[in-house]
């Protein structure tokens, strides 16, 4: 019997905060407040049949940040508070950016709290600035604090021992990888365009020390569509998630692998994200509680995605699929949105999948 949520319960929790809009460049920049507005609008349009509950964000504490960032970097951020400038050529800050970043990381903590305590099974964090390029000691690639890493570290602090982060942003999450590279308690999985910014994330990079086998990189060259992504899940990521059996799944959800995105060259469309979510969820093993199968909780944190229409549509598709999955109807999204029929995967992508498989076969049982 599959778990089904009580009709009185919200379908998901949503972290959002006005402060996230206060992070704004004084010149034209793709990482802009309008991104959140587009998503909020899309959520409003679907909300009549999707009851959600807002989870208040709060500021991350110094100790919560210190789990993944260095003392000196946090001090450097504090010195930038109230000012305007750039941490690197891509990463601007406005007078309220540091406050927004702290609130975004705190929103990720709040989400983690809610999911780990069992108050919710599914949550979304509409956070800005994004996080996955932020390393322990530097801002990078539009990111200041690593929200997903802070959420995972918080879940660890609450006692979880197996947390999976799947990063489907089109760019490799170099910061998240670096933070957990030697840590077997956080499995980091990234699907990303390569070559592309930031240039990290080779298939052979699988972790270090105790963390060997707990970093899974699937670099793909341009023009990969949903068929390639689904094959990556079917052959590599799904079996690894199934064997790892995470207590919590966090998704670093960038939507810049969409064909409309101006910063990359992949070929996903809105419904691809729903199908991708569904295939990841289907790979998660369940735990038996009484006569009910319980899936791990899932937290989806916004990363990139710079075409507003693509962002809104893809986020909406992800929510629809996630709600169907958490309702115990994982097939509902796929049945309504069948894969496009021309399932031809290029020899280049086949070879890339094979390389990622070969790297991971040392650590996991894979066909
Ligand atoms: Zn990105």
């Amino acid at each position: 019997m599959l778990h089904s949520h009580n009709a009185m319960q919200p379908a998901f929790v949503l972290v959002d905060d006005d402060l996230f809009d206060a992070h704004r460049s004084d010149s034209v920049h793709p990482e802009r407040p309008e991104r959140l507005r587009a998503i909020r609008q899309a959520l409003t349009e679907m909300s009549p049949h999707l009851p959600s509950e807002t989870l208040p964000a709060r500021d991350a504490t110094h100790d919560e940040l210190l789990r993944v960032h260095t003392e000196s970097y946090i001090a450097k951020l504090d010195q930038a508070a109230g000012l305007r400038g750039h941490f690197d050529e891509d990463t601007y800050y406005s007078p309220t950016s540091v406050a927004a970043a702290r609130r975004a990381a705190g929103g990720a903590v709040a989400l983690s709290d809610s999911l780990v305590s069992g108050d919710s099974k599914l949550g979304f964090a509409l956070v800005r600035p994004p996080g996955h390029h932020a390393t322990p000691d530097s801002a990078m690639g539009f990111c200041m604090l690593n929200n997903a890493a802070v959420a995972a570290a918080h879940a660890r602090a609450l006692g979880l021992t197996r947390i999976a982060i799947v990063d489907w942003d089109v760019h490799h999450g170099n910061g998240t990888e670096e933070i957990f590279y030697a840590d077997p308690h956080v499995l980091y999985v990234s699907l990303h365009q390569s070559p592309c910014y930031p240039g990290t994330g080779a298939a052979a990079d699988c972790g270090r020390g105790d963390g060997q086998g707990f970093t899974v990189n699937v670099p793909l060259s341009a023009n990969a569509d949903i068929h390639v992504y689904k094959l990556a899940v079917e052959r590599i990521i799904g079996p690894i998630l199934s064997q790892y059996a995470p207590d919590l799944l966090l998704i670093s959800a960038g939507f810049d692998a969409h064909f409309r995105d101006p910063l990359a060259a992949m070929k996903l469309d809105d419904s691809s994200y729903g199908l991708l979510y569904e295939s990841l969820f289907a790979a998660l093993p369940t735990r038996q509680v009484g006569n009910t199968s319980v899936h791990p909780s899932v937290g989806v944190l916004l990363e990139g995605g710079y075409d507003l229409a693509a962002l809104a549509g893809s986020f909406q598709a992800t929510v629809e699929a996630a709600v169907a999955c958490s309702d115990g109807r994982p097939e509902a999204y796929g049945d309504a949105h069948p894969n496009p029929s021309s399932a031809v995967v290029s020899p280049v992508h086949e070879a890339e999948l094979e390389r990622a498989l070969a790297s991971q076969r040392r650590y996991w049982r894979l066909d």
Side-chain angles (χ1 to χ4, degrees):
M1 190 181 111
L2 289 163
H3 172 76
S4 180
H5 84 254
N6 182 324
M8 302 302 288
Q9 294 291 314
F12 58 91
V13 294
L14 182 71
V15 174
D16 194 4
D17 197 293
D18 290 344
L19 196 49
F20 303 150
D21 299 283
H23 169 58
R24 174 186 277 282
S25 172
D26 57 359
S27 55
V28 175
H29 196 284
E31 209 294 275
R32 58 207 193 276
E34 289 77 6
R35 299 178 58 234
L36 291 187
R37 283 181 218 149
I39 295 174
R40 289 180 192 129
Q41 182 61 37
L43 285 173
T44 310
E45 283 160 14
M46 62 194 303
S47 66
H49 42 276
L50 283 178
S52 67
E53 190 173 273
T54 303
L55 192 64
R58 60 168 171 81
D59 295 337
T61 66
H62 185 74
D63 288 348
E64 287 163 353
L65 297 180
L66 211 47
R67 292 169 182 151
V68 308
H69 293 289
T70 62
E71 188 91 52
S72 60
Y73 175 56
I74 298 168
K76 181 181 169 184
L77 279 185
D78 286 340
Q79 283 159 14
L83 305 175
R84 196 177 274 284
H86 279 80
F87 291 111
D88 68 13
E89 60 180 19
D90 306 311
T91 316
Y92 67 88
Y93 56 94
S94 58
T96 39
S97 292
V98 174
R102 249 183 205 280
R103 186 67 56 84
V109 171
L111 178 61
S112 195
D113 259 329
S114 174
L115 296 169
V116 174
S117 69
D119 286 349
S120 58
K121 293 288 293 171
L122 174 64
F124 296 84
L126 288 190
V127 283
R128 283 185 67 249
H132 74 153
H133 296 304
T135 71
D137 61 1
S138 66
M140 184 177 160
F142 316 164
C143 303
M144 294 166 62
L145 294 168
N146 197 314
N147 305 316
V150 171
H154 189 66
R156 278 288 291 140
L158 294 173
L160 296 197
T161 54
R162 287 190 311 279
I163 297 144
I165 300 176
V166 173
D167 185 335
W168 74 40
D169 187 282
V170 79
H171 304 101
H172 179 243
N174 60 295
T176 316
E177 175 183 279
E178 184 178 337
I179 289 163
F180 299 116
Y181 206 55
D183 187 347
H185 300 292
V186 180
L187 173 74
Y188 177 70
V189 179
S190 177
L191 281 153
H192 49 272
Q193 186 177 322
S194 176
C196 194
Y197 182 89
T200 49
D205 296 345
C206 299
R208 182 179 61 235
D210 291 345
Q212 276 184 60
F214 299 99
T215 291
V216 179
N217 283 312
V218 184
L220 297 166
S221 52
N223 299 313
D225 62 10
I226 185 60
H227 301 296
V228 181
Y229 275 71
K230 283 196 73 164
L231 268 186
V233 175
E234 221 168 88
R235 293 184 191 166
I236 311 166
I237 299 169
I240 292 175
L241 280 177
S242 159
Q243 288 164 50
Y244 187 67
D247 303 312
L248 173 67
L249 172 64
L250 298 173
I251 299 179
S252 259
F255 297 94
D256 38 11
H258 195 286
F259 72 92
R260 292 176 58 114
D261 196 90
L263 299 193
M266 291 309 208
K267 293 279 178 268
L268 299 188
D269 62 16
D270 295 0
S271 64
S272 300
Y273 286 96
L275 295 169
L276 182 56
Y277 183 97
E278 183 200 40
S279 64
L280 290 168
F281 190 85
L284 296 175
T286 55
R287 215 162 16 93
Q288 206 63 27
V289 177
N291 52 8
T292 307
S293 304
V294 181
H295 273 94
S297 299
V298 185
V300 179
L301 297 103
L302 181 65
E303 300 283 359
Y306 305 100
D307 178 88
L308 299 183
L311 187 56
S314 303
F315 198 91
Q316 189 168 349
T318 305
V319 172
E320 280 175 13
V323 169
C325 287
S326 104
D327 269 356
R329 300 176 290 113
E331 70 299 334
Y333 189 83
D335 290 352
H337 302 84
N339 286 328
S341 53
S342 58
V344 181
V345 170
S346 75
V348 174
H349 289 131
E350 278 283 359
E352 288 163 347
L353 292 175
E354 195 44 56
R355 258 197 302 282
L357 257 177
S359 294
Q360 295 299 328
R361 275 200 192 100
R362 281 178 286 159
Y363 309 106
W364 306 94
R365 293 184 308 278
L366 300 166
D367 291 337

